[in-house]
Amino acid sequence: MNIKKAVEQHIEMENFFTGGLCIRSQKNASGKMAQPDESTIRKQKELEQIAEEVKKCRKCEIGSTRKNAVAGEGNPNARIMFIGEAPGADEDAQGRPFVGRAGQLLDRIIAAMRLSREDVFIGNILKSRPPENRTPKAEEIINCLPYLQKQIEIIKPEIIVALGAYAAQTLLETTKPIGQLRGHFFDYYTGLGKPPIKLLATFHPAYLLRNYTVESRQKVWEDMKTVLAALDLPVPK
Ligand code: URA
């Protein structure tokens, strides 16, 4: 690769990680807030119902140790769902996904894609915080995964972005390391006879914060460009 191209790529990647927040307006041509259609209202209600079930759920111990359940949030018609591992302390305190330091980095990634949190859906494999952020237990995944599966079935995203090894390995039912999984599309099946949803794994924002190297950021940027291109959305320069 020549130096000019390398410099251009570096600038592009830096812009990606520092890109300004770009909230897409929900207003229609006459400047009024667009009214959700019937299907959107129905999906929103179904998602709220799941959030209510999650709130009441005490199948695991962590259902009692948590401060708040974190069902997930976002657009019922999202084309992209970002799925992480489990709520941390900040998420547990607020009852919202990805609101701590890793969440702020995820916001910047989403903004750099020229999207906003209102465009996408953000959730986790587990809806309750494991104490001390320990790794989720098998029984916790078995109990919690059906909530996420229902959310996916309601939203019907075109792409699921699995954030980090844990989400990717759980959804793809594999033990392959994230280094091997990231950057490619896999098929995620929601049920027999239903068309698969594309799933792309990338590094977890918390991993990026710990390994804030040009190389790891470049990889995430490439992954997000792959997602945008697959959705026929403009790939920012
Ligand atoms: N890490 C996750 O995996 N999920 C969150 O919601 C926050 C941090």
Side-chain angles (χ1 to χ4, degrees), residues 84-88 91 96-99 102 124 204:
E85 176 174 332
E91 291 75 22
R96 297 184 57 212
F98 281 95
V99 289
N124 282 300
H204 194 289

Side-chain angles (χ1 to χ4, degrees), residues 47 70-76 78 80-85 91 95-99 102-111 115-127 148 151 155 157 161 163 204-205:
L47 289 170
V70 182
E73 65 185 27
N75 193 325
I80 311 174
M81 279 179 86
F82 288 92
I83 304 300
E85 176 174 332
E91 291 75 22
R96 297 184 57 212
F98 281 95
V99 289
Q104 284 156 21
L105 181 54
L106 180 61
D107 284 348
R108 271 163 50 207
I109 293 171
I110 293 170
L115 299 171
S116 72
R117 279 176 87 107
E118 288 79 17
D119 293 314
V120 301
F121 190 92
I122 304 176
N124 282 300
I125 300 283
L126 292 195
K127 312 299 193 195
L148 176 62
Q151 290 171 320
I155 296 166
V161 176
L163 298 168
H204 194 289

